[in-house]
Amino acid sequence: ATERTLSIIKPDAVAKNAIGEIISRFEKAGLKVVAAKMLHLSEEQAGGFYAEHKERPFFKDLVGFMTSGPVVVQVLEGDDAIAKNRDLMGATNPKEAAPGTIRADFAETIDANAVHGSDSPASAEREVAYFFSADEICPR
Ligand code: CMP
């Protein structure tokens, strides 16, 4: 079924000048960018986005990393978009990411892991709405 998912190109990948290469992988896999913007997240924005991880030991480092530089947030649309994006990204820890995945090719550490993608339909809905209002999404 056609789905939408939230993708974030994280500060490490933006700093590497890899925005285009990463978006190109989404497009080549048949996902369409239906919304996009560049943001330098505040601590409040990053902490709110990752609220489910608030009690985890890595939360502070995660928020610190996600606010360390600009990110590109996008809504990707396509058939099975949530799972397709996760396949393209590879495992959260780049050391475990399969060859040819975005994280295998661009990520360095579990924090600086190049990209984020929604992990379920419920989180996709919440995460898309966290960054985009309905009139910022352009279905096509
Ligand atoms: P992301 O998909 O953006 O969701 C939460 C992020 O926390 C994750 O990618 C990692 O970058 C980061 N993180 C740091 N340590 C861990 C960990 N032990 N388990 C899961 N995520 C972690």
Side-chain angles (χ1 to χ4, degrees):
T2 300
E3 291 175 343
R4 286 179 182 168
T5 189
L6 186 87
S7 163
I8 304 179
I9 302 176
K10 296 190 180 186
D12 57 319
V14 173
K16 280 185 178 164
N17 232 10
I19 297 168
E21 283 191 65
I22 290 172
I23 291 181
S24 164
R25 292 187 183 204
F26 299 146
E27 292 187 331
K28 284 179 180 146
L31 296 173
K32 293 177 177 178
V33 177
V34 295
K37 59 185 155 192
M38 190 169 221
L39 297 168
H40 194 144
L41 299 177
S42 66
E43 276 194 30
E44 193 178 25
Q45 278 177 308
F49 181 76
Y50 283 119
E52 65 176 302
H53 297 307
K54 210 165 185 129
E55 305 306 326
R56 307 284 289 275
F58 58 81
F59 181 74
K60 200 167 181 285
D61 285 348
L62 173 62
V63 170
F65 176 68
M66 290 301 287
T67 56
S68 67
V71 299
V72 178
V73 293
Q74 316 121 73
V75 179
L76 305 177
E77 187 178 84
D79 193 44
D80 217 9
I82 296 166
K84 198 175 265 183
N85 182 37
R86 293 183 72 79
D87 286 348
L88 293 170
M89 290 192 298
T92 303
N93 186 344
K95 291 181 180 69
E96 292 160 12
T101 60
I102 293 170
R103 283 166 171 158
D105 291 344
F106 296 102
E108 306 296 338
T109 66
I110 196 164
D111 279 310
N113 68 347
V115 281
H116 166 84
S118 308
D119 66 3
S120 67
S123 63
E125 191 170 328
R126 182 188 84 85
E127 292 178 0
V128 167
Y130 191 84
F131 285 115
F132 295 96
S133 60
D135 69 337
E136 289 177 312
I137 300 172
C138 304
R140 59 196 179 83

